[in-house]
Amino acid sequence: MFERLEPDTRRAVIRAAYDEAQGLGSSTLEAEHLLLAVAADPGTAAGRLLVESGLDHDGLVAALDLETERSLAAVGVALSDFGLAGRPVATRRKAGFATSAKQSLARSVGLASGRGERTLSPVHLLVGILRGEIGTVPRALAAAGVDRVELIGRAELLLER
């Protein structure tokens, strides 16, 4: 599947997603790490779209933090009860791909294939991530007040250019 990625996408986005996962102390690379990596590069059309939608890298981190807090609160856990010092310690080994990341990539490949395109750009990857209907990413977008369906439509318009 990685061979389908444009070389710049593979280098920039996938490696950055690994760095995001590691920096957040995650043992797996999730869809949210892919999204953080896309948001970290406002030089791409996908990154610009996220910034225009109020989801620059810092805004996305804040939305993910809010999603975590809300999810824990839903089961009666308050982060403030634990006095956590901050972000988890980075892991040293390379994170494996979690199901959410694999599904995001599979959706991206399906999108490109359906359009007769042989390579994936950051926009294909963004659409693949955003089309996930369950999980952390859609909950974080909702927490940030972002209309996921509208954002998908705007991203798909970028593919028409």
Side-chain angles (χ1 to χ4, degrees):
M1 190 171 332
F2 290 123
E3 63 278 358
R4 299 275 314 253
L5 295 169
E6 291 175 352
D8 288 344
T9 302
R10 184 171 45 246
R11 273 191 300 276
V13 178
I14 300 300
R15 287 187 182 154
Y18 275 118
D19 291 344
E20 293 288 350
Q22 182 179 18
L24 293 172
S26 179
S27 62
T28 57
L29 190 149
E30 301 279 352
E32 57 264 31
H33 303 126
L34 292 169
L35 186 58
L36 283 166
V38 171
D41 188 358
T44 66
R48 282 190 299 278
L49 175 60
L50 289 171
V51 168
E52 291 167 6
S53 302
L55 293 171
D56 63 2
H57 187 270
D58 291 343
L60 189 53
V61 168
L64 289 164
D65 286 347
L66 180 57
E67 186 282 326
T68 298
E69 189 176 325
R70 286 182 175 183
S71 291
L72 290 172
V75 294
V77 176
L79 285 178
S80 60
D81 293 344
F82 294 94
L84 299 175
R87 293 259 174 230
V89 176
T91 60
R92 291 198 185 268
R93 63 185 185 94
K94 197 171 190 177
F97 265 68
T99 300
S100 66
K102 289 177 186 177
Q103 289 174 340
S104 294
L105 284 169
R107 286 189 295 269
S108 301
V109 169
L111 172 64
S113 295
R115 297 171 51 83
E117 298 164 348
R118 298 190 49 82
T119 59
L120 300 178
S121 70
V123 176
H124 291 102
L125 187 55
L126 177 60
V127 173
I129 296 164
L130 295 175
R131 283 185 177 173
E133 295 183 12
I134 57 172
T136 302
V137 170
R139 290 192 309 267
L141 294 176
V146 173
D147 182 336
R148 185 180 63 83
V149 174
E150 189 265 338
L151 187 56
I152 292 168
R154 291 177 56 204
E156 288 173 338
L157 285 175
L158 292 174
L159 293 171
E160 301 301 322
R161 295 180 184 166

